Amino acid sequence: MAMEAVNLKKKQCKIVVAVDESAESMYALSWCLSNLISQATINTLVLLYVKPPPPVYSSLDVAGYIFSGDMIRALEAYGNDLVNSVMGRAEDICGKFSSNIKVDRIVGSGDARDVICNIVDKIKADTLVMGSHGYGFFKRAILGSVSDHCAKHVKCPVVIVKHPEKI
Amino acid sequence: MAMEAVNLKKKQCKIVVAVDESAESMYALSWCLSNLISQATINTLVLLYVKPPPPVYSSLDVAGYIFSGDMIRALEAYGNDLVNSVMGRAEDICGKFSSNIKVDRIVGSGDARDVICNIVDKIKADTLVMGSHGYGFFKRAILGSVSDHCAKHVKCPVVIVKHPEKI
């Protein structure tokens, strides 16, 4: 299908960029904007942020911590602030590049590996762009790299971008 | 460095595409030509083909097979024909797209995973594009996926493309 679409004048192109708090994911977004956005296509850029799953709170309960309703609301508010901060930064970066882009936001919740794969397939994205790290050293050691998993399971082409300063 | 180069009028862009006998690698090349080649950059596309390492012959000797000089020369000639056939197909595909591309060939020899990583770093490529499979089911099961390895070890962004019919 994609092969045939190549010959059309103005094809639609939907690119998902997985963003998080890391400088690397912002670098991946910049790379995408300067290398994957073509004037020959109608581009939709989907900024995808995945919040950790809610069971994080209950596992803390089991360990003996008791959270008041206020505390849980405060944690949730912090989570929402984080989403807005990351999305805001990402949109600022988009604004510095071509105006030939429609920018959408999707906020998912759960295991980043599964959520990213599911959303990319569900919205029929043409390309997924993401940093190679993200989610910290320990989580990666236990769960495996998010980008490895997505490169294996997502149907569309996957671009894995490393932050040049961290190599 | 790449971040700063974004603002230059005509930056150089060197893209390596790892090609082999598979339809998937030819699809990855097409994807690259229609998504990564920009009119705003001076593009060099490097077609990289990796031949299996020479010790393949000697391991057969150990197993009790004796190859005459003629046989070895015939195998080598077959290997060279394969290189020319793959490179010829790849150049035909390049010819169908924009003429705004300089196409180079590099033929390496050895373990594809190491050779691809070494060459990409040595020639300071901006992007590596490759199929997600290649090198057959059994070799992948034993050695691990070539694309997994390259995504982990190459410094530049890596694009992993899956053949849409094989998903």
Side-chain angles (χ1 to χ4, degrees), chain A residues 2-3 6 11 27 30-31 34-36 97 127 148 150-162 167, chain B residues 2-3 6 11 27 30-31 34-36 97 127 148 151-162 167:
Chain A
M3 289 287 284
V6 162
K11 67 166 180 165
Y27 181 78
S30 300
W31 185 92
S34 42
N35 290 280
L36 274 181
F97 285 82
T127 311
D148 274 12
C150 295
K152 275 199 194 74
H153 293 96
V154 150
K155 286 176 189 151
C156 68
V158 177
V159 187
I160 300 173
V161 182
K162 294 194 185 81
I167 294 162
Chain B
M3 290 285 285
V6 163
K11 68 165 179 165
Y27 181 79
S30 300
W31 185 91
S34 41
N35 290 279
L36 274 181
F97 286 81
T127 312
D148 274 11
K152 276 200 193 74
H153 294 94
V154 152
K155 286 176 191 153
C156 67
V158 177
V159 187
I160 300 174
V161 182
K162 294 195 186 79
I167 293 160

Side-chain angles (χ1 to χ4, degrees), chain A residues 21-59:
Chain A
E21 297 76 12
S22 69
E24 192 176 57
S25 79
M26 294 299 143
Y27 181 78
L29 174 61
S30 300
W31 185 92
C32 170
L33 287 159
S34 42
N35 290 280
L36 274 181
I37 303 294
S38 160
Q39 294 297 327
T41 52
I42 300 164
N43 306 291
T44 304
L45 197 74
V46 179
L47 302 171
L48 170 58
Y49 180 88
V50 184
K51 291 202 277 191
V56 165
Y57 305 134
S58 34
S59 71

Side-chain angles (χ1 to χ4, degrees), chain A residues 117-133:
Chain A
C117 291
N118 289 343
I119 287 176
V120 165
D121 286 346
K122 196 172 162 190
I123 68 171
K124 295 189 172 52
D126 296 294
T127 311
L128 167 65
V129 179
M130 61 195 309
S132 75
H133 296 103

